[in-house]
Amino acid sequence: MRYVSYKTTSGHVTWGVEEGGTLFDLGPSGRQVADTLRDAIVGDLLSATPDYADAPSQAEEGTEFVPVVGGSPKVICIGVNYRSHKEETGRADVEFPTVFSRFSDTLWPHGADVTIPAESEKYDYEGEVALVIGKPAFKVSREDAFDHVAGYAVFNDFSARDWQRHTGQWIPGKNFPESGTFGPYYVPASDIGDIEALEITTRVNGEVRQQATLADLIFDIPAQIEYVTTFTKLEPGDIIVTGTPGGVGLFMDPPTFLQDGDLVEVEVTGLGTLKNRMVKG
């Protein structure tokens, strides 16, 4: 099952089910299962598929999306977490995950233009898989980690590399407005088979730049959850963005950064394709 967050033809923000190119409204303007998809996740209302057959519907084509799971108090990102990416950076092996925070107001939807900040000359893409926490998680063992995952979605962690490298910490380079695109679909974990078999492919203007499966993760999803929940409590609706493969623009020869008009697509097996057009700030 694929869930979406979007605007109705009358302009109301809602959420629902995508099936065969049609969106069925389960939000306040439809079946009223919950006000938002995040509320449905927090309330564990998706463990059984809501009845949507007679819900108000509209065509997916031409619909304006919103971030698929919005309003999350915590967005935790894992850096340099694919072997292929570590190799291209030249970084040494590390004992613990590299963790940084992203502000929830930077989340941006599928299909929307992304503004390249006027302050950055080195704006880059990072195709990723994001997971959404489904129940309170604190000091979770890796053996129990997947019990706390509600579902998954595609993420693009756009990065201002010049600002990222101002100091040793990355927060400025990772939190410009519109820099965390998220969607188009949310897929419950129960609908995903072997998570490590999922393949990420990032394309810029149709050219494949990144391609890897989650088997290439250095710190797998259980290790990420175990580590993060040791130092902070996660609640339903919180997000962990799990890392990006090798092939980012910073490490191309020569370095190649995003330009006005570029179309960036991140496709993940079973999760759909996240598309955004770049516009000059």
Side-chain angles (χ1 to χ4, degrees):
M1 188 61 61
R2 304 203 297 192
Y3 294 94
V4 292
S5 297
Y6 63 100
K7 291 185 179 180
T8 66
T9 54
S10 58
H12 296 103
V13 175
T14 191
W15 69 282
V17 168
E18 182 278 330
E19 185 177 271
T22 299
L23 309 181
F24 296 88
D25 190 348
L26 300 181
S29 55
R31 287 292 309 279
Q32 294 186 315
V33 173
D35 285 346
T36 67
L37 177 53
R38 181 177 177 273
D39 289 340
I41 294 167
V42 170
D44 192 25
L45 302 179
L46 305 180
S47 53
T49 303
D51 182 12
Y52 63 90
D54 61 348
S57 63
Q58 66 188 66
E60 179 178 11
E61 185 176 357
T63 290
E64 182 179 352
F65 287 76
V66 298
V68 67
V69 181
S72 301
K74 291 180 181 176
V75 183
I76 305 293
C77 301
I78 310 299
V80 197
N81 195 34
Y82 278 74
R83 293 175 181 87
S84 57
H85 187 38
K86 182 182 77 70
E87 289 168 4
E88 71 180 357
T89 66
R91 289 174 176 263
D93 291 343
V94 294
E95 185 177 357
F96 304 108
T98 298
V99 180
F100 61 93
S101 58
R102 172 176 279 285
F103 306 141
S104 61
D105 63 2
T106 67
L107 300 186
W108 201 241
H110 161 74
D113 289 347
V114 170
T115 302
I116 301 172
E119 298 83 1
S120 177
E121 297 179 353
K122 298 180 178 180
Y123 212 56
D124 208 351
Y125 53 84
E126 289 192 4
E128 312 204 17
V129 170
L131 65 86
V132 182
I133 294 295
K135 63 181 182 180
F138 187 52
K139 298 188 177 180
V140 175
S141 69
R142 65 171 293 118
E143 291 76 18
D144 295 332
F146 281 123
D147 293 341
H148 295 264
V149 178
Y152 302 91
V154 186
F155 202 94
N156 198 333
D157 180 39
F158 287 104
S159 304
R161 300 298 189 190
D162 33 15
W163 282 73
Q164 183 181 347
R165 293 184 163 195
H166 281 177
T167 68
Q169 55 82 23
W170 298 352
I171 290 176
K174 298 287 190 174
N175 281 284
F176 276 88
E178 307 173 11
S179 60
T181 57
F182 192 25
Y185 310 119
Y186 164 85
V187 178
S190 58
D191 291 350
I192 301 294
D194 179 3
I195 189 69
E196 291 192 345
L198 298 189
E199 183 175 69
I200 299 176
T201 303
T202 303
R203 296 181 290 269
V204 179
N205 301 326
E207 176 190 3
V208 174
R209 298 282 185 85
Q210 297 179 288
Q211 195 161 46
T213 68
L214 271 70
D216 192 43
L217 286 170
I218 297 169
F219 298 98
D220 62 11
I221 286 171
Q224 294 178 43
I225 292 174
E226 181 178 54
Y227 184 77
V228 170
T229 63
T230 301
F231 71 84
T232 189
K233 294 180 180 180
L234 297 181
E235 298 295 336
D238 287 343
I239 296 163
I240 296 178
V241 186
T242 59
T244 198
V248 298
L250 176 63
F251 295 106
M252 293 179 68
D253 186 14
T256 304
F257 298 105
L258 295 169
Q259 304 295 320
D260 184 43
D262 284 348
L263 176 64
V264 185
E265 301 172 280
V266 183
E267 182 176 1
V268 178
T269 312
L271 301 183
T273 304
L274 172 64
K275 300 180 182 182
N276 297 99
R277 181 79 64 180
M278 310 307 295
V279 296
K280 187 176 181 179

